[in-house]
Structures are given as C-alpha cells and as structure tokens.
Amino acid sequence: MRLRLPRGLSAASILMGVAIAAVAAEPAFAGNDPTPKPGDTAWMLTSTLLVLMMSIPGLALFYGGLVRSKNALSVLTQTFAIVSLVGVLWTLYGYSLAFGDGGPLNNYIGGFNKLFLKGVDVSSNVPTFTPGVVIPEYAYMVFQMTFAMITPALIIGAFAERIKFSAAFVFVILWVTIIYFPVAHWVWGVADPNALVDAATKLAAAGTEEAKAAAQGDIDTILASVGWIAGGLAPWMHGTGALDFAGGTVVHINAGIAGFVGALIIGKRIGYGKEALPPHSLTLSMIGASLLWVGWFGFNAGSNLECNGTTALAFVNTMVATAAAGLSWLLTEWALKGKPSLLGLISGAVAGLVAVTPASGFAGPMGSIVLGLLVSPLSLFFVSKVKNFFGYDDSLDVFGVHAIGGITGALATGILVSPDLGGTGVVDYTNIGENFAGKYDMAQQMISQATAVGATILYSGIGSAILYKLVDVIIGLRVAPDQEREGLDIAEHGERAYNY
C-alpha cells in the first residue's frame, strides 16, 4: 500500500517515509511543477474501487458462505460495519497517524499534521516511485483507506459465530488506532524519491567539502526520518529496509496474528470438535473468492501508485501466483483425501493472493508461480494438521491462510527480488549515476524481512491480546451460550439471512 520503491528498496539509501513523502512541504523538482498524469489518477481511483470490492461484497460473501446459515447475516453485518467505521476513522485521524509527520517519533508513528485531512485539497499531490511523477493526494489517501478497511475485517473470521457485535465494533476502533496505523507507518513510511534524487544531485555537483557535507547531511536526514522497518534502522538491519510491496506484514500477518490471538482468548464455538460445523453455502464463498481475486489486482498492481511496467508486473504476478496456489491446494488435497474440493480450491487461491502480496512488484512471474505452488501445501498443513493437533478454533482459518501465507510471502520476497532469480533487484535513489541501481545482499535482506515479520507478530500479538482483554472487561467478548446456539443473526441483529 504505499510509498514503496517499485523496483525494491534496500540499503539505508532508499526506504523511507511515506508519511514524509506524502506530506512533503517542499516538492522536489519544484521548478518543474509536476502535475498528475490523468492515466495514473484514473488507475489509482480504479484500484481503490477494486480494493473496496474485495471487502464488500468479496470478503463478506466469502466469510458469509463459510459460516452456518444462522450466522451468515452477522458476518455480513460485521464486515460492512467495519468497512464503514474504519473509513470514517481513517479520514478523521488514521491517515495522519499512518502517513503524517511524526516529528521526533517519526520512525514509529505519524503525527497530527494531517488531522481531519488538514492541508489535503484538490491541488495537493504526493510522489510516486518515479522521480518527477505525482498523483493527487486525495487519490492516495482514499486508496490507503481501503487497505485500512479490509485489514480488521479479515480478523473477524477467526472468531466468527461467537463474538458480540458491540465487542467487535469497539475492538476494531482500538485495534486500527493502536496496532494498524503504527505498523503501516513502520513498513510504508518511506522517503520521497524526489527529495533523495535532489539531495544526491546536489552532492554530485558540490564543489567544496562544505557543500558536500551539507548535501550528505540532507540525505542522512531524509533516510533517518522514516519508518524504522522501511529504513532498516534497527542496528542489525544495517540500513537495509524490509520489502513489502502491498501488505504482507501490514495487512495479512497483522490481521492473521490478531485473529489467532482472538480465537484463543474468546474460546471455541459450542460443539467444536464434537459436531460438524460445515459451511452453509460454498456457492457464496466461491463468488466471494472470485471477487477477491479480481479486486486483488487493485490491491497489488495499484500499490505501484502509477501505471507503468512495474504495475503490469504486479498484475501478472497476482494472476499467476493465485492460479498456481489454487491448483496446488486442489492437487495436494486430492492426493491426500481422494477428492478435489471447491473449498480447497478457493482457499488455495486466497493463500496465493496473500503470499504474492509483498512480492508482487519485486518477484518475476516464474518466482511467483513457485511461491504459489509452495504456499498452499504449507497453509493446508496448518489449517488441518496443526489446528487439529492443538485444538484451537480458528473458525475461517485466518491464521492458517493469512498469517502463514503472509509470513511465507514476506520471507520469500527477500529471495525472489534477486535479479538472478528473475526479480527486479533493489533501488537506490541516491545512485544517480547508475540509473538508481541498488546493491542486493540476500543474507542481509532476509535478516530485514525476518525482522519485519517478527516485529509484526510480536506487536500485533501482544497488543491485540491486551485490547481483547480490555474489551472483555468493559463489554464482554462473547455472546451468551443460548444466543450462540440460536445464532447471531437473530440474537444480535433480529434478522435472518434467509427467510425460509
């Protein structure tokens, strides 16, 4: 989701502050007064619509079909309500906390300079990944909004059929504020490439030691004022920022871990492990999964922020990884259980979409196919063997698909970005003499990828556990047993998904 360097960012020289980039007071190349290209703007708005479609109706139908009929309407209501709620929160303060200027805390959180969209108007622009190219800030803001909308909506699948609507509502308010917005800033808070190119150009042209020191100081300041994961600011990262093109850590690991923790704290559904709790409509789920696949092109290809060759690469990778993953799950399950299932096919497709998300703009198509083929058996192992062994009730396999798929994709990105494996390589916008080519070190890149994964797991896991406990004390997380048996459609909403 954002200011991320299209061809890959690595080395301290590149990654850094969407927050800063998006709100840069002094646009680089000011003398040229760059204006948005109509094609880029149209693509970003189209991508925004596609990502919204992923949530409603895509995710709503996918989840709605996977639960029992007496709970279908509750899942649809929760999803639609979360999308609406987060859209308002994002506009009021979320955009500012994720991509605003956080001052001395800018490595960890944005600030309040964009509160209530202050300073955002029809004439304000944000940079893309191509120096001198911009898009309208409104387009950027609303595109990012759709990512913030779908992430907490993913979480509810882990404890579907037993959580109070009021508890889910309050939890989402707290979770996006305390967990999602900061993590988005850590990972996507990258620097304005225009500012880096300008500073590097001044450095190259500097005729005195004083001028060189001043220009180098500008570069160091830019690279130090970014999200700590994006800029590789932890000592062991050595300035090599983690790569996440469209949300493997921010969206999928974040939501998957939060859902897993919620499932453990809320507990199992009544009858889980003792009676069958089958999906009531795989037809609805297949329609939902299909809408997710289509919408995901906006999710991944839109994350390039402009319409060019990297956009096409992300589009192709989204297509082939998903196809490979759906096929892989189908064939694996067929071999193990003797029958190919629709549930397995669509689950594999979603796992592939999740895994390719962080790699979509960095890997080559062949690498994406391999990623898709590998992630499905791994996710299948977790949603069947691991879940059954430990006995936790992750209702709709949010952990097994989103967390495990996200972790797989995030780690694989550090490998698949390698030019030797068909990847794009990494970018260094300060290397103006070599067409911005960066230095790729697989071992160091993997350390940075693992750091991003580990930090997201710990922060989301521990933070979410605290928030669940807080909500449980204030409201209570779970509906009463008689309400759970009756079904949340009637007990919580006084309506039925089906009147027959």
Side-chain angles (χ1 to χ4, degrees):
M1 281 171 116
R2 2 323 264 198
L3 267 204
R4 168 194 327 66
L5 314 219
R7 284 187 292 266
L9 277 193
S10 185
S13 36
I14 305 300
L15 309 225
M16 6 340 208
V18 175
I20 303 163
V23 300
E26 263 322 305
F29 301 172
N32 297 327
D33 291 328
T35 58
K37 298 177 181 178
D40 291 338
T41 303
W43 169 242
M44 290 310 301
L45 295 178
T46 300
S47 294
T48 300
L49 289 174
L50 288 170
V51 180
L52 177 62
M53 187 180 73
M54 289 173 62
S55 299
I56 49 174
L59 183 66
L61 292 175
F62 182 67
Y63 276 180
L66 292 177
V67 298
R68 290 167 289 177
S69 60
K70 64 182 180 180
N71 297 310
L73 182 140
S74 71
V75 172
L76 300 179
T77 305
Q78 289 167 11
T79 305
F80 205 110
I82 289 171
V83 168
S84 302
L85 171 63
V86 176
V88 173
L89 298 180
W90 181 260
T91 306
L92 295 178
Y93 64 87
Y95 177 62
S96 191
L97 289 181
F99 300 120
D101 184 355
L105 296 177
N106 206 59
N107 298 143
Y108 307 101
I109 187 69
F112 299 110
N113 62 312
K114 292 291 180 179
L115 205 62
F116 307 120
L117 298 187
K118 178 182 177 182
V120 181
D121 56 36
V122 295
S123 62
S124 58
N125 301 314
V126 299
T128 67
F129 304 113
T130 301
V133 178
V134 297
I135 58 174
E137 189 167 6
Y138 273 134
Y140 179 74
M141 183 279 293
V142 75
F143 178 68
Q144 293 284 1
M145 177 194 293
T146 57
F147 283 74
M149 287 172 166
I150 196 172
T151 305
L154 292 171
I155 297 173
I156 63 170
F159 40 75
E161 302 193 297
R162 59 200 188 273
I163 192 169
K164 291 180 180 178
F165 180 79
S166 57
F169 198 83
V170 173
F171 173 77
V172 167
I173 294 174
L174 296 173
W175 191 84
V176 295
T177 303
I178 297 172
I179 307 296
Y180 180 83
F181 298 154
V183 173
H185 187 81
W186 295 355
V187 178
W188 289 328
V190 301
D192 180 355
N194 296 331
L196 286 171
V197 172
D198 283 352
T201 301
K202 291 177 182 178
L203 178 62
T208 66
E209 291 302 316
E210 292 77 10
K212 291 180 180 179
Q216 185 61 55
D218 290 342
I219 293 175
D220 293 342
T221 298
I222 295 169
L223 296 177
S225 302
V226 301
W228 73 273
I229 289 178
L233 301 183
W236 58 88
M237 296 174 79
H238 299 294
T240 298
L243 305 175
D244 187 351
F245 196 78
T249 51
V250 180
V251 176
H252 298 294
I253 298 176
N254 208 2
I257 294 299
F260 179 63
V261 171
L264 295 178
I265 291 176
I266 295 172
K268 304 174 186 178
R269 288 168 289 178
I270 294 174
Y272 180 76
K274 300 176 182 179
E275 60 187 69
L277 306 174
H280 88 279
S281 177
L282 288 177
T283 301
L284 284 184
S285 294
M286 184 273 177
I287 295 171
S290 301
L291 290 170
L292 281 169
W293 190 348
V294 174
W296 224 291
F297 291 109
F299 200 86
N300 288 351
S303 289
N304 193 48
L305 303 184
E306 54 184 305
C307 203
N308 58 20
T310 302
T311 309
L313 173 65
F315 196 105
V316 169
N317 286 340
T318 302
M319 182 72 82
V320 299
T322 309
L327 186 64
S328 178
W329 193 305
L330 180 80
L331 295 176
T332 302
E333 191 174 51
W334 194 355
L336 294 176
K337 299 182 179 181
K339 293 182 179 180
S341 73
L342 173 60
L343 178 58
L345 180 60
I346 60 178
S347 297
V350 174
L353 288 165
V354 169
V356 79
T357 291
S360 56
F362 300 125
M366 298 304 107
S368 295
I369 290 177
V370 172
L371 178 58
L373 292 173
L374 293 177
V375 71
S376 282
L378 186 58
S379 286
L380 176 59
F381 176 73
F382 272 86
V383 305
S384 55
K385 301 299 183 182
V386 174
K387 185 168 75 168
N388 291 337
F389 179 80
F390 288 101
Y392 58 86
D393 184 11
D394 176 6
S395 304
L396 309 183
D397 294 319
V398 176
F399 175 73
V401 173
H402 291 277
I404 298 304
I407 291 169
T408 302
L411 295 176
T413 298
I415 298 171
L416 296 179
V417 70
S418 170
D420 293 335
L421 299 176
T424 61
V426 296
V427 171
D428 182 347
Y429 285 113
T430 66
N431 190 9
I432 58 177
E434 299 293 334
N435 196 30
F436 308 132
K439 295 180 180 179
Y440 170 71
D441 180 330
M442 183 179 292
Q444 183 56 60
Q445 190 64 59
M446 290 304 296
I447 291 173
S448 295
Q449 298 302 115
T451 298
V453 169
T456 304
I457 290 173
L458 289 174
Y459 187 70
S460 183
I462 296 171
S464 296
I466 294 171
L467 296 180
Y468 284 121
K469 289 295 186 181
L470 178 62
V471 173
D472 195 23
V473 169
I474 297 173
I475 298 175
L477 287 170
R478 188 163 184 156
V479 298
D482 60 327
Q483 293 178 314
E484 185 176 342
R485 291 189 180 94
E486 180 183 23
L488 302 191
D489 291 3
I490 291 295
E492 286 275 282
H493 305 286
E495 301 173 297
R496 296 183 188 275
Y498 307 101
N499 291 310
Y500 54 74

